[in-house]
């Protein structure tokens, strides 16, 4: 073993050996994720028995969504059965959202819809109000700007037929439009789905999205809801996830991998907006107080940062062009092999060139998000927040 290492050191500098080792480690990490994803997707999706579906309350908090509410209300009115309760929670909208909603209610008079006002401040408070006033045991949460066809939430609800399951995570992707920026967002969502699914499969759920989430109302109150997390403006979904795992075990959380349960987020039009959202998401990493979560967040930043710095290593002569090219080839290949599997699994169509190009752009994106988090402040829907308390 030592002789092999000596030969390697004679051919490459120490920095080059470290860079090659890092790239091989990246390949192994992505390969592990790909293997885990295949285990996730091999899980059999049982036939849908609607007669076994319990009573459901769909909770939709909104703030300044006047432009998105008309489409959302049409989707809910046509896709969600009248037997479901729909709770709309106004989080102090300032753009006439509540008038848009009430006008629709007066005109169409949908059955089972209720509008309540958030007496507190923030999305967690709004969600709590909706869940507390909900009349049914099964809660589904989503966002007012989400797009979907039919009733994807029904497939999540079906998983709760298993009494040992307390929370079900549904898949989310951005809607496909035109151009590389749209493709990049879908690739990024693919990376989120593979980590979400594999971490659940491994018994250590790391993330979920409140845009497509289902859980038992009794379980929500059993873990204390959002108590202890109200001061942080983000993370209603992940903080609740960690509480459910802590009380009921990792087996209490299921990930629904079927495309039937897929919902779509509207893609951003500008990089600044996308980076701003991810800053808000990433900002909660230190609040988790979890070694696993902290380590995964650190690795998720340091690996892309190292790739971003690699051109500097090339220019200064620390690594050769051959080693530099080998490293980026490994990264692009690994990303393409893994993420195209996720994209295809959900029946989405994306050009291979977009996936490969995203492999080169994504490290810069991650560093931009990380730098933004380090600055400590952001503004979201007219509210200024400090990332560190």
């Amino acid at each position: 073993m030592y002789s092999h290492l000596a030969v390697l050191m004679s051919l490459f500098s120490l920095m080059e050996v470290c860079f090659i080792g890092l790239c091989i480690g990246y390949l192994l990490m992505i390969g592990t994720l790909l293997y885990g994803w295949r285990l996730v997707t091999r899980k059999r999706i049982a036939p849908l028995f609607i007669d076994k579906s319990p009573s459901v309350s769909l909770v939709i908090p909104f703030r300044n969504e006047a432009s998105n509410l008309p489409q959302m209300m049409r989707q809910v009115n046509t896709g969600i059965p009248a037997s479901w309760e729909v709770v709309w929670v106004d989080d102090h909208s300032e753009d006439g959202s509540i008038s848009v909603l009430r006008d629709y209610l007066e005109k169409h008079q949908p059955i089972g819809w209720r509008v309540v006002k958030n007496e507190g401040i923030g999305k967690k408070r709004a969600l709590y109000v909706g869940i507390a006033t909900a009349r049914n045991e099964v809660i589904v949460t989503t966002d007012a700007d989400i797009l979907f066809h039919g009733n994807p939430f029904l497939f999540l609800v079906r998983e709760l037929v298993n009494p040992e399951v307390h929370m079900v995570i549904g898949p989310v992707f951005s809607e496909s439009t035109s151009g590389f920026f749209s493709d990049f967002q879908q690739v990024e969502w693919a990376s989120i789905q593979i980590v979400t699914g594999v971490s659940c499969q491994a018994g250590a759920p790391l993330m979920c999205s409140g845009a497509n989430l289902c859980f038992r109302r009794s379980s929500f109150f059993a873990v204390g809801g959002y108590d202890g997390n109200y001061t942080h403006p983000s993370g209603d979904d992940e903080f609740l996830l960690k509480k459910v795992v802590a009380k009921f075990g990792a087996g209490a959380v299921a990930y629904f991998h079927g495309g039937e349960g897929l919902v779509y987020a509207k893609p951003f039009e500008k990089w600044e907006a996308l980076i701003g959202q991810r800053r808000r998401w990433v900002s909660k990493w230190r609040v988790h107080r979890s070694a696993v979560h902290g380590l995964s967040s650190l690795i998720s930043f340091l690996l892309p940062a190292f790739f971003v710095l690699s051109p500097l290593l090339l220019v200064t002569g620390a690594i050769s062009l051959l080693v530099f090219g080998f490293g980026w080839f490994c990264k692009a290949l690994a990303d393409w092999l893994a993420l195209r599997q996720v994209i295809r699994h959900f029946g989405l169509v994306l050009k291979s060139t977009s996936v490969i190009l995203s492999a080169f752009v994504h490290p810069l994106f991650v560093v931009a998000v990380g730098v933004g988090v380090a600055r400590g402040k952001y503004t979201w829907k007219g509210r200024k927040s400090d990332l560190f308390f």
Side-chain angles (χ1 to χ4, degrees):
M1 175 180 176
Y2 293 107
S3 61
H4 292 158
L5 182 60
V7 171
L8 187 63
M9 291 297 293
S10 67
L11 296 175
F12 302 102
S13 68
L14 178 61
M15 181 58 71
E16 287 177 326
V17 171
C18 292
F19 187 71
I20 293 172
L22 181 73
C23 296
I24 293 175
Y26 186 82
L27 275 173
L28 293 174
M29 182 184 73
I30 299 300
T32 302
L33 281 174
L34 181 55
Y35 175 74
W37 180 253
R38 288 177 176 171
L39 293 179
V40 170
T41 56
R42 284 175 186 170
K43 180 183 177 182
R44 179 175 173 270
I45 297 178
L48 181 64
F49 295 107
I50 298 179
D51 60 317
K52 289 187 178 181
S53 297
S55 299
V56 181
S57 291
L58 175 62
V59 179
I60 310 173
F62 63 92
R63 173 175 167 78
N64 298 340
E65 298 285 0
S67 61
N68 292 315
L69 278 174
Q71 182 169 14
M72 185 62 175
M73 290 185 290
R74 286 194 298 270
Q75 292 175 154
V76 173
N77 201 21
T78 57
I80 304 302
S83 59
W84 285 28
E85 177 187 40
V86 182
V87 184
W88 303 85
V89 188
D90 176 32
D91 184 18
H92 305 281
S93 295
E94 302 167 335
D95 66 343
S97 293
I98 193 67
S99 297
V100 173
L101 179 56
R102 292 195 185 281
D103 288 345
Y104 189 94
L105 285 169
E106 184 177 343
K107 181 178 180 180
H108 297 277
Q109 298 183 349
I111 299 173
W113 288 22
R114 291 192 297 118
V115 182
V116 296
K117 186 173 181 60
N118 179 19
E119 299 300 332
I121 299 295
K123 186 178 179 181
K124 292 189 190 70
R125 294 286 183 185
L127 281 167
Y128 178 83
V129 169
I131 296 167
T133 59
R135 297 164 181 162
N136 297 314
E137 165 64 2
V138 175
I139 303 293
V140 173
T141 66
T142 191
D143 297 331
D145 58 350
I146 287 297
L147 305 172
F148 58 87
H149 308 289
N151 185 6
F153 311 114
L154 184 59
F155 294 88
L156 276 63
V157 171
R158 180 270 316 278
E159 296 292 319
L160 291 181
V161 171
N162 181 349
E164 295 182 358
V165 175
H166 293 257
M167 174 180 281
V168 185
I169 302 169
V172 182
F173 262 84
S174 59
E175 183 188 28
S176 176
T177 54
S178 60
F180 171 72
F181 186 41
S182 171
D183 291 349
F184 176 84
Q185 292 179 69
Q186 286 205 311
V187 171
E188 229 253 321
W189 274 108
S191 68
I192 292 173
Q193 293 312 307
I194 194 171
V195 172
T196 302
V198 172
S199 63
C200 281
Q201 173 71 26
L206 282 175
M207 60 180 71
C208 61
S209 172
N212 198 9
L213 193 63
C214 175
F215 50 86
R216 302 181 192 275
R217 185 174 182 271
S218 57
S219 303
F220 175 84
F221 288 108
V223 301
Y226 304 117
D227 289 349
N229 303 125
Y230 284 113
T231 56
H232 199 282
S234 182
D236 52 274
D237 38 27
E238 288 189 21
F239 291 135
L240 183 60
L241 167 67
K242 295 306 171 72
K243 283 188 171 186
V244 170
V245 171
K247 186 170 183 64
F248 301 107
V253 179
Y255 174 76
F256 183 80
H257 66 81
E260 307 93 332
L262 182 62
V263 302
Y264 299 88
K266 287 189 175 181
F268 289 101
E269 297 179 357
K270 296 182 178 181
W271 285 96
E272 293 84 357
L274 177 62
I275 291 172
Q277 184 196 58
R278 297 308 194 256
R279 282 175 58 194
R280 183 171 61 91
W281 289 1
V282 175
S283 67
K284 55 183 174 281
W285 72 272
R286 61 174 59 201
V287 188
H288 282 293
R289 295 183 177 87
S290 165
V292 173
H293 204 103
L295 181 61
S296 63
S297 298
L298 186 63
I299 293 174
S300 297
F301 176 77
L302 290 181
L303 280 175
F306 194 84
F307 277 106
V308 170
L309 291 175
S310 62
L312 181 62
L313 299 177
L314 175 65
V315 172
T316 58
I319 61 175
S320 66
L321 182 60
L322 177 64
V323 173
F324 176 81
F326 170 79
W328 279 97
F329 172 78
C330 287
K331 184 188 185 309
L333 178 64
D335 289 1
W336 178 71
L337 288 173
L339 298 181
R340 73 165 184 164
Q341 292 292 327
V342 181
I343 292 166
R344 287 180 176 180
H345 174 76
F346 287 107
L348 305 177
V349 178
L350 206 60
K351 293 179 291 186
S352 292
T353 52
S354 292
V355 180
I356 294 172
L357 183 57
S358 295
F360 293 93
V361 176
H362 193 259
L364 292 169
F365 172 75
V366 172
V367 170
V369 172
V371 170
V373 171
R375 289 178 178 174
K377 294 183 178 180
Y378 65 86
T379 299
W380 189 257
K381 293 192 175 181
R383 290 172 175 163
K384 294 182 179 181
S385 300
D386 195 326
L387 300 182
F388 309 114
F389 306 102

